[in-house]
Amino acid sequence: MLYGKNKLQLNDTDRERMRAACRFNAQLMDFIRPEVQAGVTTEHLDRLIHQYTLDHGHIPAPLGYQGYPKSCCTSVNEVICHGIPDKYTLREGDIVNVDCTTIVNGWHGDSSETFIIGEATPVARQVTQCSFDCLYLAIAALEPNCRISVIGEAIVQAAKERGFSVVHEYVGHGLGRQFHQDPSIPHYPHAAARRERLAPGVCFTIEPMINEGVRLTVLDQSDNWTVRTKDGKLSAQFEHTILMTETGPEILTQTEHGPRPGHKF
Ligand code: MF3
Ligand code: CO
Ligand code: CO
């Protein structure tokens, strides 16, 4: 379907469909937030997310996506992203990112938060805080028809100032009827992102992965999904789905219960 000259620009009807999908995904995050605690397995969180989604008549997008086996991603400590829920029991001092994506009437909503389990080390808090602040600094840099590169510029600057690094290999993405589509949203300065602009009606995620140590990643060869830091140090991530409108960015996956800009971890 073509809308104007850019096929990624949604009309008003489809914007409402995206809002509804993202509203549900945000409600799902509200549901899971209090369950993320010491003593629960990541598999338990996955079952809760799966059941809540089905109970509301929707579809967990990760399940079966390119062969992915679960309904969400749970990325603990040195896991950067795409951690597969399993028998691991969360414990005091862990940080865990829970990434949920839902298909609501054919449209995708995608968001994630990093949770600190009990008392964590100062650096665990700092890297979590940094990824959260990077997400909102990037959103603050958005304007109608801005270059995509304003996102990566804001994120790399903030991460550098705090002595942390930004993952390159995994990026934000357009979404709508598809889970992952154009445009690609790198969280670091990239030549193609300097040429491309975010027109009103374009929907995309920002999901910076911030590492305590080196930015380099290692893909787990046994499951082909789990991505870890090369140096085994911590990584944290937050994600929102955003709609660019004629007046500026609209955060579609935020609710009044989730952490807001200025939140201190
Ligand atoms: N939710 C992730 C993202 O933000 C993608 C997970 S793909 C999966 O893009 F297959 F692992 F679920
Ligand atoms: Co995403
Ligand atoms: Co996601």
Side-chain angles (χ1 to χ4, degrees):
M1 197 90 63
L2 284 159
Y3 302 115
K5 63 179 187 272
N6 183 338
K7 68 180 188 306
L8 303 173
Q9 289 175 253
L10 301 181
N11 63 22
D12 288 347
T13 319
D14 289 346
R15 290 184 195 192
E16 275 309 313
R17 293 177 173 133
M18 269 307 285
R19 287 190 182 100
C22 291
R23 199 177 306 125
F24 175 78
N25 204 65
Q27 184 188 323
L28 173 60
M29 289 299 304
D30 287 346
F31 161 75
I32 204 65
R33 202 174 290 112
E35 308 292 339
V36 186
Q37 289 181 23
V40 307
T41 64
T42 52
E43 221 164 47
H44 173 71
L45 298 175
D46 180 73
R47 271 194 299 273
L48 291 175
I49 286 164
H50 182 86
Q51 199 54 49
Y52 185 91
T53 304
L54 265 51
D55 287 347
H56 287 78
H58 304 313
I59 300 168
L63 189 59
Y65 177 79
Q66 294 184 180
Y68 188 77
K70 296 285 186 180
S71 295
C72 66
C73 298
T74 51
S75 301
V76 180
N77 295 333
E78 78 286 0
V79 178
I80 295 170
C81 63
H82 305 167
I84 303 173
D86 61 10
K87 304 216 172 314
Y88 179 78
T89 302
L90 295 173
R91 54 177 192 177
E92 178 104 5
D94 283 344
I95 61 171
V96 56
N97 175 275
V98 180
D99 191 337
C100 297
T101 312
T102 312
I103 309 174
V104 175
N105 298 322
W107 294 79
H108 289 75
D110 187 6
S111 54
S112 82
E113 288 178 27
T114 294
F115 299 92
I116 299 173
I117 308 299
E119 285 291 311
T121 60
V123 72
R125 278 180 192 284
Q126 287 156 9
V127 75
T128 301
Q129 185 75 54
C130 184
S131 60
F132 181 78
D133 293 346
C134 281
L135 171 57
Y136 280 95
L137 285 166
I139 294 170
L142 297 173
E143 288 175 19
N145 293 308
C146 66
R147 295 175 196 274
I148 289 176
S149 53
V150 300
I151 295 167
E153 283 156 10
I155 291 169
V156 163
Q157 190 194 326
K160 242 189 191 163
E161 278 169 15
R162 302 179 199 199
F164 296 133
S165 65
V166 178
V167 170
H168 286 200
E169 290 88 340
Y170 302 86
V171 295
H173 50 92
L175 77 173
R177 277 195 242 261
Q178 289 178 52
F179 195 164
H180 296 105
Q181 62 186 36
D182 282 346
S184 172
I185 309 287
H187 303 111
Y188 61 97
H190 185 274
R194 275 190 280 274
R195 291 190 293 270
E196 229 182 315
R197 290 175 181 275
L198 292 168
V202 175
C203 234
F204 57 97
T205 71
I206 303 180
E207 45 183 301
M209 287 143 273
I210 303 299
N211 292 355
E212 174 191 356
V214 299
R215 68 166 181 80
L216 302 175
T217 66
V218 180
L219 178 65
D220 189 313
Q221 294 300 304
S222 66
D223 65 21
N224 252 300
W225 280 105
T226 309
V227 179
R228 293 190 178 80
T229 56
K230 188 164 188 199
D231 59 11
K233 293 188 178 181
L234 298 173
S235 184
Q237 179 180 30
F238 285 81
E239 174 177 26
H240 273 312
T241 299
I242 290 154
L243 169 69
M244 183 57 83
T245 77
E246 285 69 12
T247 53
E250 185 178 324
I251 307 175
L252 300 187
T253 43
Q254 187 155 275
T255 73
E256 63 266 44
H257 306 291
R260 294 296 198 129
H263 183 88
K264 296 295 170 226
F265 290 87

